């Protein structure tokens, strides 16, 4: 009783542990997303408060450092990519005049997780590269700063006595950046994190899921695309876009823009990308909010690319999730409103949105003298920009159609597979039903007559000799009729060409497999046959099954494979079972492809299943086929 319940309990325990493992992985990813969001927020605050090279640095350097904390979210899924990207961001922060500790902490966490996804040698290699490369490149910071930053600010006096200046980067800022260096102890700490993670893996048996580079990229796409992670991923996306937009606003203010906008408007526009959190639930909201923020931004600055990207993402999501009759009108209205409003806006609307323009002119002199108003009115939202932003809508419609087509195709393949399985099952059931019906209706009837005749033997022995002989004659007739019916049923089990199996009587076994191999040798196909162990003690049923597997495999080689050589190995393990392996160098086939007309394979699986064995068929078109079967010998079978 306990032995019967134990597997059930182990099954429930395995399912419970699998569920807990999935929940832990899901919660771990959510935790990493929250850490990434916190990193983005801290980095953004440091950007706004920075007095170093940020206002003068190229936009590419600023973007790398601003969005690099987002890689913390995938530190467990792809720690190689995360650690390399975070280390690059930390090194880039030196070119901005400061060390970003958020990126260094994230890189440390990624290196700690590295051993759980890579083997020991790649773990040590990646750790060494991430730790040592920034230290070696530290000597080139001054050269990079000279190439990346504008000319150093210098004052000069012309020959006519006038004063002037060249360059935009203050010399103090440049000197600070040129003197930056990567601390050696930071590299030591990163190396320690990677090696400590490897040591902890072996010491405490931490979970480990090895993966290649391609598999890690696939895992990243899978994790980011899982429905359970949708809110976390959208929150991370919204935070990253808001961080970049706030950086745009801050950078624009350093160039003299945004001074006409109220203080609250700058933050309202900067946090507008947070509506992307609703892009799957209600995509109309981020589209409308981002279009309105884009109009206000267009009046204030030329730095608006982040907001336009966020608007493009919202438009794409709208087209993917909403039917075309809903998505197209919303998108057209949202993109048509900004140029119309910008073209028709008068002093009343402009002064309401930007009250500062009211104090910058004298009404008696007319609006022409209000240069701030004229500058705002002159910044028109171009119609071509709205036309370009229709491209994400078109891509979303195409993506929606592709998704529907893909789902339909997958469903069609699934239905075809189900139909194939039902056909194979039906074939098996029909064959079993026919044999069972014949055995019950015909063979069992004749055998029953033979039993009855045999039981009347003692009575017949007391009568005359003629009646005794007649009784034996009836028993013989019933036996012959039973043999005839058995022969009829066996004739139904002939091969596809209708040829009867010449080895049906007596039942073949392991010793007869050599005859199959010799038969192919006579036909010109070399077969290397090897029988390891003796057949003594192996039940007849298992021997017959092994013989049939080899027979069917060799038949398939002759009919379909076009092979030049075949190897057959039958290994008998004492008291355990029989292992059969048939390998050819033929054309091969796709085992997962269409099996219509391949009832031989179905019969192989059915024979092996009867003995609780396993059958594996490995094949690739053009690379031959390998059949491996294991037939265990149970104590019941041995007893029989």
């Amino acid at each position: 009783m306990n032995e019967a319940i134990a597997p059930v309990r182990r099954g429930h325990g395995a399912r419970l542990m699998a569920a807990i493992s999935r929940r832990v992985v899901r919660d771990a990813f959510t935790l990493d997303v929250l850490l990434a969001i916190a990193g983005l927020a801290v980095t953004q605050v440091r950007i706004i408060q920075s007095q170093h090279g940020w206002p003068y640095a190229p936009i590419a350097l600023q973007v790398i450092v601003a969005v690099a904390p987002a890689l913390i979210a995938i530190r467990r899924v792809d720690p190689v990519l995360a650690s390399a990207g975070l280390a690059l961001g930390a090194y880039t922060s030196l070119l901005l005049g400061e060390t970003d500790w958020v990126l260094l902490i994230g890189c440390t966490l990624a290196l700690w997780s590295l051993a759980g996804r890579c083997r020991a040698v790649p773990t040590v290699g990646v750790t060494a590269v991430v730790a040592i490369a920034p230290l070696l490149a530290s000597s080139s910071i001054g050269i990079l700063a000279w190439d990346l930053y504008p000319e150093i600010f210098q004052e000069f006096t012309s020959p006519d006595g006038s004063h002037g200046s060249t360059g935009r980067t203050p010399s103090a800022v440049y000197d600070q950046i040129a003197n930056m260096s990567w601390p050696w102890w930071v590299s030591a700490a990163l190396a320690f994190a990677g090696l400590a993670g490897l040591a902890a893996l072996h010491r405490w048996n931490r979970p480990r899921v090895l993966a290649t580079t391609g598999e890690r990229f696939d895992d990243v796409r899978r994790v980011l695309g899982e429905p359970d992670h949708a809110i976390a991923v959208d929150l991370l996306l919204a935070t990253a876009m808001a961080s970049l937009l706030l950086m745009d606003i801050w950078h624009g203010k350093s160039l003299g823009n945004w001074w006409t906008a109220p203080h609250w408007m700058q933050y309202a526009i900067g946090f507008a990308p947070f509506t992307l959190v609703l892009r799957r639930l209600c995509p109309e909201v981020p589209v409308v909010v981002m279009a309105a923020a884009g109009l206000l931004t267009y009046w204030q600055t030329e730095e608006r690319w982040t907001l336009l990207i966020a608007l493009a993402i919202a438009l794409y999501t709208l087209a993917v999730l909403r039917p075309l009759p809903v998505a197209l009108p919303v998108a057209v209205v949202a993109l048509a409103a900004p140029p119309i409003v910008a073209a028709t806006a008068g002093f009343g609307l402009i002064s309401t949105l930007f009250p500062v323009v009211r104090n910058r002119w004298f009404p008696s002199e007319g609006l022409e003298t209000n240069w701030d108003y004229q500058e705002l009115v002159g910044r028109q939202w171009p119609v071509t920009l709205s036309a370009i932003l229709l491209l994400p809508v078109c891509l979303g419609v195409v993506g929606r159609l592709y998704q529907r087509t893909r789902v339909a195709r997958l469903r069609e393949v699934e239905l075809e597979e189900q139909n194939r399985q039902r056909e194979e099952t039906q074939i098996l059931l029909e064959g079993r039903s026919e044999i069972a019906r014949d055995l019950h209706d015909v063979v069992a009837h004749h055998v029953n007559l033979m039993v009855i005749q045999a039981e009347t033997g003692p009575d017949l022995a007391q009568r005359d000799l003629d009646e005794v002989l007649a009784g034996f004659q009836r028993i013989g007739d019933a036996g012959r009729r039973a043999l005839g019916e058995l022969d009829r049923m066996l004739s139904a089990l002939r091969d596809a060409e209708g040829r009867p199996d010449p080895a049906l009587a007596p039942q073949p076994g392991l010793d007869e497999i050599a005859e199959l191999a010799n038969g192919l040798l006579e036909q010109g196909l070399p077969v290397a046959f090897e029988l390891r162990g003796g057949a003594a003690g192996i039940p007849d049923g298992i021997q017959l099954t092994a013989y049939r597997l080899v027979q069917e495999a060799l038949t398939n080689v002759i009919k379909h494979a076009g092979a030049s050589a075949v190897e057959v190995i039958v290994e008998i393990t004492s008291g355990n079972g029989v292992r059969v392996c048939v390998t050819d160098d033929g054309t091969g086939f796709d085992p997962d492809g269409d099996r219509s007309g391949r009832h031989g394979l179905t019969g192989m699986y059915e024979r092996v299943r009867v003995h609780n064995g396993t059958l594996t068929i490995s094949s690739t078109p053009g690379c031959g086929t390998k059949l491996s079967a294991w037939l265990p010998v149970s104590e019941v079978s041995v007893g029989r």
Side-chain angles (χ1 to χ4, degrees):
M1 180 67 178
N2 293 334
E3 294 179 355
I5 295 177
V8 177
R9 289 178 176 173
R10 285 195 294 270
H12 284 298
R15 288 192 293 270
L16 179 60
M17 292 301 297
I20 294 175
S21 176
R22 289 192 296 269
R23 180 63 179 270
V24 169
V25 170
R26 182 166 63 250
D27 292 343
F29 177 77
T30 304
L31 175 61
D32 290 338
V33 169
L34 295 178
L35 290 176
I37 292 173
L40 290 170
V42 172
T43 301
Q44 183 57 225
V45 172
R46 297 190 63 189
I47 292 173
I48 295 176
Q49 296 178 350
S50 176
Q51 301 296 328
H52 303 289
W54 281 90
Y56 315 99
I59 188 65
L61 297 183
Q62 301 180 28
V63 171
I64 290 175
V65 178
V67 302
L71 292 174
I72 298 176
I74 61 170
R75 70 175 184 90
R76 302 176 201 262
V77 185
D78 192 348
V80 177
L81 176 61
S83 58
L86 291 166
L88 175 62
Y91 177 80
T92 305
S93 68
L94 298 180
L95 295 172
L96 299 175
E98 55 186 350
T99 302
D100 195 314
W101 299 107
V102 171
L103 298 180
L104 290 177
I105 294 173
C107 185
T108 302
L109 295 175
L111 290 174
W112 170 265
S113 305
L114 190 63
R117 296 289 281 167
C118 301
R119 299 187 184 277
V121 174
T123 298
V124 174
V126 172
T127 300
V129 171
V130 171
I132 297 175
L135 186 62
L136 297 177
S138 178
S139 60
S140 62
I141 290 180
I143 301 175
L144 292 176
W146 181 265
D147 295 333
L148 294 173
Y149 281 83
E151 295 180 359
I152 301 175
F153 179 83
Q154 293 180 347
E155 294 183 352
F156 64 89
T157 302
S158 61
D160 59 1
S162 60
H163 297 280
S165 62
T166 60
R168 189 170 68 88
T169 305
S171 58
V173 172
Y174 175 80
D175 292 339
Q176 179 185 4
I177 295 174
N179 293 326
M180 293 293 294
S181 62
W182 184 274
W184 65 267
W185 57 267
V186 171
S187 293
L190 294 178
F192 176 78
L195 298 179
L198 183 62
L201 177 71
H202 294 284
R203 177 64 178 83
W204 295 310
N205 293 325
R206 285 171 48 205
R208 188 177 191 181
V209 182
L210 299 177
T212 62
T213 301
E215 291 172 345
R216 290 196 301 271
F217 283 142
D218 292 339
D219 290 342
V220 171
R221 289 194 295 267
R222 177 183 56 79
V223 170
L224 295 180
E226 285 185 359
D228 292 342
H229 300 155
I231 296 178
V233 171
D234 288 344
L235 183 58
L236 180 63
L237 173 64
T239 305
M241 298 305 298
S243 177
L244 291 175
L245 183 53
L246 287 172
M247 187 183 68
D248 279 351
I249 295 175
W250 173 79
H251 189 266
K253 292 178 66 176
S254 68
L255 298 177
N257 299 321
W258 290 97
W259 73 270
T260 56
H263 195 63
W264 64 266
M265 183 180 292
Q266 301 172 23
Y267 287 99
I269 295 174
F271 291 110
F274 275 107
T275 57
L276 289 174
V277 176
L278 304 175
R279 70 186 186 97
R280 301 176 198 260
L281 300 177
C282 187
E284 296 85 358
V285 172
V287 168
V288 174
V289 171
M290 228 73 68
L295 175 61
L296 298 176
T297 303
Y298 213 97
W299 272 326
Q300 292 295 317
T301 181
E302 298 295 331
E303 303 289 339
R304 65 183 75 92
W305 62 273
T306 302
L307 188 60
L308 295 179
I309 291 177
L311 177 57
I313 294 174
L315 290 169
Y316 175 81
T317 307
L318 175 68
V320 169
L321 298 182
R322 291 290 185 262
L324 190 60
V326 176
L328 191 58
V330 174
V332 170
V333 171
L335 294 177
I340 294 175
V341 173
T344 59
F347 182 77
L349 177 61
I350 297 296
S351 62
T352 301
L353 294 174
F354 312 105
V356 71
V357 302
R358 300 174 186 173
N359 305 321
R360 303 288 293 183
W361 68 300
F362 299 98
S364 59
E365 298 181 4
L367 289 175
E368 289 77 8
T369 60
N370 191 333
W371 306 113
D372 296 328
Y373 170 74
Q374 294 298 332
E375 183 181 0
L376 293 176
V377 172
R379 293 180 177 179
Q380 299 289 328
W381 179 287
V383 178
T384 54
L385 180 59
S386 295
I388 293 174
L389 287 173
L390 283 175
L391 180 60
V393 179
C394 298
L395 293 177
V397 173
V398 173
R400 180 183 178 88
L401 295 177
Y402 170 77
Q403 185 66 20
R404 293 177 59 181
T405 303
R406 180 173 176 272
V407 171
R409 184 168 63 251
L410 292 177
R411 179 59 179 168
E412 182 180 355
V413 172
E414 182 181 356
L415 291 176
E416 290 179 354
E417 178 66 17
Q418 293 177 356
N419 291 334
R420 183 186 63 80
Q421 292 178 356
R422 281 196 293 267
E423 290 178 358
E424 291 183 354
T425 303
Q426 186 64 26
I427 292 172
L428 290 175
L429 293 178
E430 290 177 356
R432 292 178 183 178
S433 299
E434 181 179 356
I435 295 174
R437 187 167 50 251
D438 290 345
L439 287 173
H440 180 271
D441 296 341
V442 180
V443 178
H445 172 71
H446 293 306
V447 173
N448 189 39
L449 289 178
M450 294 169 60
V451 172
I452 294 175
Q453 294 293 336
E455 290 177 345
T456 60
D459 295 335
L460 293 177
Q462 299 177 2
R463 303 179 183 181
D464 57 13
L465 182 60
D466 293 336
E467 291 187 8
V468 172
L469 295 176
F472 280 115
Q473 182 65 35
R474 287 192 293 270
I475 292 175
D477 293 340
R480 281 188 292 273
R481 286 193 296 271
L483 289 175
E485 295 299 333
L486 281 175
D487 183 67
R488 184 188 66 80
M489 286 186 294
L490 291 175
S491 66
L493 302 177
R494 296 175 180 179
D495 62 14
E497 298 181 0
R499 295 175 301 185
D501 188 347
L504 284 176
Q507 297 284 24
L510 298 175
D511 295 330
E512 283 74 24
I513 296 179
E515 298 180 5
L516 294 176
N518 294 331
L520 291 184
L521 286 173
E522 295 175 359
Q523 299 182 24
L525 179 61
V527 179
F529 172 70
E530 182 179 358
L531 178 62
R532 302 173 182 175
I538 302 299
D540 294 339
I542 292 181
Q543 292 196 46
L544 176 62
T545 298
Y547 179 91
R548 295 299 184 212
L549 291 176
V550 175
Q551 184 183 45
E552 181 65 27
L554 295 179
T555 301
N556 291 335
V557 170
I558 297 173
K559 294 173 60 177
H560 308 294
S564 60
V566 184
E567 181 184 42
V568 179
I569 298 177
V570 179
E571 182 179 2
I572 304 169
T573 60
S574 177
N576 292 328
V578 178
R579 188 178 304 279
V580 179
C581 183
V582 181
T583 307
D584 68 79
D585 61 352
T587 57
F589 66 99
D590 183 7
D592 298 327
D594 185 13
R595 291 187 183 179
S596 57
R598 285 199 240 151
H599 302 315
L601 296 180
T602 304
M604 288 184 183
Y605 282 105
E606 184 64 15
R607 288 182 181 275
V608 173
R609 188 191 65 81
V610 170
H611 296 284
N612 295 321
T614 58
L615 175 64
T616 303
I617 299 178
S618 303
S619 181
T620 303
C623 298
T625 303
K626 180 178 180 179
L627 180 146
S628 299
W630 168 250
L631 302 173
V633 176
S634 63
E635 295 180 0
V636 176
S637 299
V638 175
R640 290 178 181 175

